[in-house]
Amino acid sequence: MTAPLHAQDSAPVLAIRGAGLQRGDRELWSGLDLDVAHGEFIAVLGPSGSGKTTLLRSILGLQPLSSGSIRVDGRPAQRGDRRIGYVPQQRPLPPDTSMRARDLVALGVNGTRFGLPIPRRGDRARVDALLESAGASHYAERPVGLLSGGEQQRLRVGQALADDPVLLLCDEPLSGLDLANQRGITGIIDRQRRQGAGVLFVTHDINPILGLVDRILYIAGGRFVLGTPDEVLQSRVLTELYGTAVFVLRAGDRLVVVGAPDAEGAHAHEAADPSAGHSGAHA
């Protein structure tokens, strides 16, 4: 994909230099250098426990690096940075949650204020605009506990976009969603990317987003590889990364990765075009 013309020559929205992370006495990875340009979409792949989510936590200022540095839009990463939007994995809210859909999105608009959230002029219009962009206007007044998982996830994306973030971090945001909702969520995220936001998208299933991805950061066994999908999703590359035989097979218009250990256990995932549904292939 091509970054917006106005952003092509600007400094990276995310700059990671010499970064290392440890969990206890185990090194997850080290020596990571990564620039994310405005309008660039980077997918982060790898087995469970490889440090994908921990990387996002470090960018959010919630997890200190063991080495190196992270800068967002030219400034050090810090907790509560409104320049960053965060979309978590879809987890259904309890059915008895009475908060309206509108109220959930409004937390992204006024949720960081101290004291009571006294509405400001323009807040309602901003919430209405976010609901519309997320395709959620028609259920804005409904209790979120009565909404489907896909409807709830649209609200989380709307909430994450409240401040027009320059960097969007997505942590398995499509997990558990049907194909229609996967397309809807990726469409919202892609619109933000086209407006110049950088996207870092953690996923186990690259199928719904492959057509949007500029580069892949693949982390496994304390090592990583970074490149375009064609450069990374190769049997030779992944075999070298994992240190065990891994095969990237083509099945019609889909790529299936077979033999990649997951969580230092067994897992494989598919790589396909955005129109393909999820059908995990296990080694």
Side-chain angles (χ1 to χ4, degrees):
M1 309 302 293
T2 302
L5 292 177
H6 68 275
Q8 285 181 344
D9 296 327
S10 61
V13 66
L14 175 67
I16 300 176
R17 295 290 181 272
L21 269 176
Q22 287 187 304
R23 180 174 295 149
D25 59 358
R26 182 170 75 91
E27 183 177 80
L28 295 177
W29 38 262
S30 64
L32 174 62
D33 293 327
L34 173 65
D35 282 350
V36 180
H38 289 267
E40 187 175 23
F41 195 120
I42 295 184
V44 184
L45 305 179
S48 299
S50 59
K52 303 185 302 296
T53 293
T54 311
L55 172 61
L56 299 192
R57 287 178 53 81
S58 294
I59 298 169
L60 289 166
L62 303 175
Q63 173 79 39
L65 294 172
S66 56
S67 61
S69 65
I70 298 176
R71 299 182 72 85
V72 177
D73 210 23
R75 289 176 283 175
Q78 60 183 0
R79 190 175 188 137
D81 193 334
R82 302 283 282 188
R83 297 168 299 168
I84 304 174
Y86 174 67
V87 184
Q89 185 172 345
Q90 193 282 125
R91 291 185 175 85
L93 294 167
D96 59 352
T97 303
S98 59
M99 177 184 291
R100 297 174 302 169
R102 157 182 308 283
D103 300 327
L104 184 61
V105 173
L107 290 176
V109 175
N110 59 36
T112 61
R113 299 183 209 162
F114 295 103
L116 295 175
I118 301 173
R120 298 171 298 184
R121 179 178 298 177
D123 277 3
R124 184 176 180 86
R126 178 59 179 156
V127 171
D128 286 342
L130 290 167
L131 287 165
E132 183 176 359
S133 69
S137 297
H138 60 290
Y139 54 84
E141 307 301 328
R142 291 184 61 192
V144 293
L146 302 182
L147 301 176
S148 70
E151 290 170 334
Q152 291 179 10
Q153 193 68 341
R154 285 175 178 267
L155 298 175
R156 292 187 181 96
V157 177
Q159 187 185 80
L161 301 182
D163 288 300
D164 283 326
V166 296
L167 177 63
L168 193 57
L169 305 180
C170 305
D171 191 5
E172 299 274 7
L174 307 182
S175 179
L177 300 184
D178 60 24
L179 181 57
N181 278 304
Q182 287 182 350
R183 287 173 173 167
I185 298 299
T186 55
I188 301 167
I189 293 170
D190 186 44
R191 284 198 299 273
Q192 190 70 15
R193 180 195 65 79
R194 289 177 182 274
Q195 293 173 15
V199 177
L200 208 59
F201 195 109
V202 170
T203 183
H204 272 94
D205 178 15
I206 200 171
N207 296 352
I209 63 168
L210 187 60
L212 306 177
V213 172
D214 295 299
R215 290 186 292 161
I216 291 174
L217 173 64
Y218 205 124
I219 307 172
R223 305 170 65 199
F224 57 85
V225 62
L226 177 66
T228 67
D230 286 343
E231 291 169 339
V232 172
L233 296 176
Q234 297 187 38
S235 300
R236 175 186 56 79
V237 173
L238 296 186
T239 293
E240 183 177 346
L241 180 66
Y242 278 100
T244 189
V246 175
F247 302 95
V248 181
L249 310 176
R250 183 171 295 277
D253 58 357
R254 291 184 284 194
L255 297 175
V256 184
V257 180
V258 179
D262 184 38
E264 288 32 278
H267 171 79
H269 62 270
E270 284 186 322
D273 66 81
S275 64
H278 171 62
S279 56
H282 293 272

